[in-house]
Structures are given as structure tokens and as C-alpha cells.
Amino acid sequence: MKRFLDLADFTRDQIQDLLALAQSLQDKPQPRALAGKILGLVFFNPSLRTLASFQAGMARLGGSSFVITPGQGTWALETRQNAIMNGAAAEHIREGIPVLASYCDALGVRAFADGKSLQADMNESLFRMIDALCDKPLINMESAMNHPCQALADWRTMDELKVPARAKFVLSWVYHPRALPLAVPSATLKMAAMRGMDVTVLRPEGFALPRETMDEARRAAAQAGGSVTETAERASALAGADVLYAKEWGTTTYYGDFEADSRLRADLSDWCVRERWFADAAPNAKLMHCLPVRRNVAVADEVLDGPRSVVKREAFNRLAVQMAVLHRMLS
Ligand code: CP
């Protein structure tokens, strides 16, 4: 495996194979499998889970890693094509990425959406450039529109919980004080569709996911025997749900317009997941969230601290599935 950029690049059999390897590495640790191998980790944006789990996973397999946080102890890196570099950035990724790649056996990169142009972010302009510059195996640790490591961990979490393939999976927009990227909701939607689930995207008006993303998910669901619908009606969406996946994201109608986004979300603070959301509609539904989560803003304490929350399991599974990805790439 030379690239782990999008779960959709893999067949269901290949995904099952990675999940089986994750289980095998958990049951029978291989502490020397990646001895002498080095993983480079470049974080243009903050992280807790991704940073710690990749370093821990590499160490558990006998390898080592280095972390670069551009602009924080290292040179700030310019990412714009043909930039006149008279600002803060001292170095361009055109040099920075190949140089870093030359020091390691695989590179992981986190580079969030620019958040200005939906088309540019949908095109993954920055990550495509990084991909072209990196001659070593490359891992997407969250790009503008994707987070395949999180999606694979979430697939594993549902398998562990014995959530059936045809279960009802509700991806629900939840409140956040400001717009967040579309990477996790897009990756989650496609993952659930590929898993063959009956997916409902629940979101207020103005927050529909991009049509191309919905279409891609519908095609994946059709192939896997599932379905994809969307609605702004919470009661009908939650009726019979097996999983509620909560996620915050920004407006797509006024993408990049901070003030329009703020106006749209001003009256939506009741989109905080509470126990009463489940009540009779979905009493046994699990609550998933990729973390970090703002307590009592996106999800209430009573839900996060109750038995339906599996958020810490999802986070643990990041380590398990990323070890499988690293093993496939480097062993
Ligand atoms: N879910 C996730 O990617 O967490 P971090 O942003 O902390 O890495």
C-alpha cells in the first residue's frame, strides 16, 4: 500500500482485510514488525488523537516517528502555488515535503480545508499537491474533505458493537459556535454508505452536504445494498435509529462567508444532542462522535457520560486501525 488517502480507494474486501489485521495485531502484538522504520508526521492543524495514536502505533510496532508542526519550532511552510513569499512562511512545501519525505519511510499529513472556496476544497487542491510532492507512502491524517483514519476506526467500532450492515445510521449536524470543516461528515457519510447502511443525513437548512458528496455516497450505498437520504426533520430521522453520529460543520450554502454562517447558526443552539432526542424514537441507539467535542454545546453531559456513548471506543480504535495501515505500508 503506497497511499491511504480515501476509504473509497479500497474495496470492501480490502477494508475487511485491514480490519482483520487490526484485530490480529491487537490479539498478537508484533513489537518488531517495523523495526528501523521511520514515520514523518506533518501537522498543519492541531490534533490530540491523530498525533498521539500515530506515534504510539509506530512505537508499538517497533518503529519511530518525528513530528513537524509548521511555524511552531520549525519554519512556517507556504502552501500557495506561485506565491510571492514575502510573508511569514520561510519555506515552500515544494521543498519542505520532499525533504521531509527523504528522512522517513512514510509520511502522514494533516492539512484542513482552507474554508474559502467550496470547489477548491472539494478538489482537495492542497492535498493533491502534497501527494504529487511525496515520493514515499502517504497517509491522509485529515484533509479538506476526508478523514479516512477516523472513518476506518468508526467502521471497526460498529463491527465491534455488532451494528448490522443494514442498520439505520443517522449523521446529525450539531451546534458549534463557528463553522467547522466538512472532512469528517463527508468521510463518515461515505464510510456508512460503503458499509451498506441505511444512512440519513439530518441537518438544518443551509447545512446540506455538497451534492457531489451525497451523490458519491448514494452510489456507494447502492453498490453495498444500503441507502442515503437527507432531511431537516429530527423526529423522523431519529425514528428507529441504531446509531446517531453527531458532527459539527459549516454552511455549504454560504461556504466561506463567516457572517452568513454565523447568522444561520445563531438560532440553532438547540442542536445539542440530549437524552430526550432518543426517548421512544431510538432508545438503544449508540452515540458516536469523532472528538474533540464541546460538552453541552454539541452533545450534553448526560449523553456523553451515559451508556450509549462510544466516543472513547472510537478514539481507541484509531490506534488499532492505523497500526494496520502502517503495517500494510511498511512491513
Ligand atoms: N478525531 C480526530 O482526528 O481527533 P484529533 O483532531 O484530536 O486528531
Side-chain angles (χ1 to χ4, degrees):
M1 188 197 296
K2 296 289 178 214
R3 291 290 184 265
F4 188 73
L5 305 181
D6 184 351
L7 219 51
D9 293 337
F10 300 89
T11 63
R12 279 172 62 92
D13 282 350
Q14 288 171 322
I15 291 170
Q16 299 294 357
D17 184 52
L18 275 174
L19 294 172
L21 178 57
Q23 188 61 46
S24 160
L25 291 171
Q26 193 172 311
D27 296 341
K28 287 188 195 155
Q30 295 186 27
R32 302 293 300 157
L34 300 189
K37 302 287 185 185
I38 299 171
L39 174 67
L41 298 165
V42 183
F43 283 91
F44 287 96
N45 310 95
S47 167
L48 184 147
R49 278 144 291 276
T50 307
L51 170 59
S53 57
F54 266 110
Q55 289 204 284
M58 203 58 192
R60 284 189 187 281
L61 291 167
S64 57
S65 54
F66 64 79
V67 177
I68 298 290
T69 312
Q72 294 177 37
T74 62
W75 304 117
L77 292 179
E78 179 60 72
T79 58
R80 293 169 301 157
Q81 302 241 44
N82 307 118
I84 297 170
M85 289 176 52
N86 57 3
E91 182 159 11
H92 202 282
I93 58 169
R94 293 182 70 83
E95 286 76 45
I97 292 292
V99 167
L100 289 171
S102 74
Y103 300 148
C104 60
D105 300 287
L107 199 64
V109 178
R110 166 167 283 196
F112 287 177
D114 202 22
K116 293 179 185 140
S117 156
L118 181 57
Q119 205 49 57
D121 287 340
M122 292 283 292
N123 287 343
E124 294 279 15
S125 314
L126 174 56
F127 223 88
R128 281 176 197 272
M129 196 168 19
I130 291 167
D131 186 10
L133 292 167
C134 179
D135 64 356
K136 294 285 172 61
L138 177 66
I139 300 171
N140 179 348
M141 302 198 300
E142 190 172 338
S143 62
M145 294 297 292
N146 223 321
H147 198 351
C149 299
Q150 184 67 52
L152 189 60
D154 290 339
W155 187 315
R156 180 174 206 248
T157 302
M158 287 193 283
D159 285 357
E160 282 181 336
L161 295 168
K162 305 205 181 317
V163 176
R166 279 308 296 269
K168 182 169 180 180
F169 183 96
V170 179
L171 170 62
S172 176
W173 186 92
V174 289
Y175 184 75
H176 189 277
R178 61 180 173 82
L180 293 190
L182 297 169
V184 170
S186 302
T188 302
L189 168 62
K190 290 192 286 181
M191 175 277 295
M194 284 181 74
R195 196 171 175 269
M197 306 185 81
D198 288 319
V199 185
T200 301
V201 181
L202 169 63
R203 79 295 178 276
E205 298 305 334
F207 293 90
L209 292 176
R211 179 147 32 100
E212 296 92 318
T213 307
M214 294 297 294
D215 288 346
E216 193 183 339
R218 286 197 175 98
R219 284 193 295 275
Q223 212 172 3
S227 63
V228 173
T229 58
E230 62 183 322
T231 180
E233 288 296 319
R234 191 181 300 157
S236 61
L238 289 178
D242 297 287
V243 175
L244 173 63
Y245 196 109
K247 187 67 192 91
E248 314 82 344
W249 67 85
T251 177
T252 46
T253 308
Y254 304 105
Y255 195 83
D257 184 337
F258 175 81
E259 286 180 6
D261 183 276
S262 297
R263 274 196 303 278
L264 262 183
R265 68 180 59 239
D267 296 328
L268 298 175
S269 58
D270 65 322
W271 285 69
C272 172
V273 182
R274 298 189 182 281
E275 269 305 314
R276 65 172 177 268
W277 282 34
F278 301 93
D280 299 331
N284 300 317
K286 297 295 182 198
L287 180 280
M288 299 181 75
H289 189 287
C290 65
L291 303 181
V293 65
R294 288 184 182 233
R295 282 176 169 257
N296 305 308
V297 171
V299 184
D301 284 344
E302 64 199 26
V303 181
L304 283 168
D305 296 332
R308 68 174 79 254
S309 172
V310 296
V311 298
K312 284 179 277 189
R313 191 78 212 163
E314 294 173 78
F316 168 74
N317 278 331
R318 291 290 304 277
L319 175 63
V321 301
Q322 288 161 197
M323 283 173 67
V325 170
L326 292 168
H327 197 284
R328 273 283 174 275
M329 274 187 165
L330 295 174
S331 70

